[in-house]
Amino acid sequence: MFALAAELLFWVVWDFVLSFVFYFTGALLLYCFSLGKINYSLSPARFLSRARVRDRSETDKPFLLGFVFYISLFVLAIWMY
């Protein structure tokens, strides 16, 4: 029973908190590097209220960019250690 609760808690944290952090970071990076030409919504309410569709959505690019950014920071930290 404890394992089920722990797994459920992990997926809630991953789905709501980490996915928004990755999306927000990616959107911010896209905005900064494109000098404001590419603009994604940075509102958590808008991100969390979007319909989850299996096809490509407008949040794919910022989410993946944010995910790659944090993975690269992790790899850099390991490499520097």
Side-chain angles (χ1 to χ4, degrees):
M1 186 64 157
F2 178 73
L4 179 64
E7 187 174 343
L8 181 64
L9 180 65
F10 169 76
W11 283 112
V12 167
V13 168
W14 174 261
D15 226 18
F16 292 110
V17 177
L18 290 179
S19 63
F20 178 72
V21 168
F22 293 155
Y23 168 80
F24 184 79
T25 304
L28 202 58
L29 287 173
L30 283 172
Y31 183 79
C32 291
F33 287 123
S34 70
L35 301 175
K37 293 181 182 178
I38 299 174
N39 194 5
Y40 288 94
S41 173
L42 298 179
S43 167
R46 176 167 271 198
F47 173 74
L48 293 174
S49 69
R50 72 177 170 84
R52 301 205 182 244
V53 182
R54 286 194 161 265
D55 296 331
R56 295 179 60 91
S57 68
E58 65 184 29
T59 61
D60 285 349
K61 188 184 282 186
F63 177 81
L64 291 175
L65 183 64
F67 187 72
V68 168
F69 175 75
Y70 284 111
I71 292 295
S72 62
L73 281 181
F74 183 68
V75 168
L76 183 66
I78 290 174
W79 182 66
M80 295 294 285
Y81 180 69

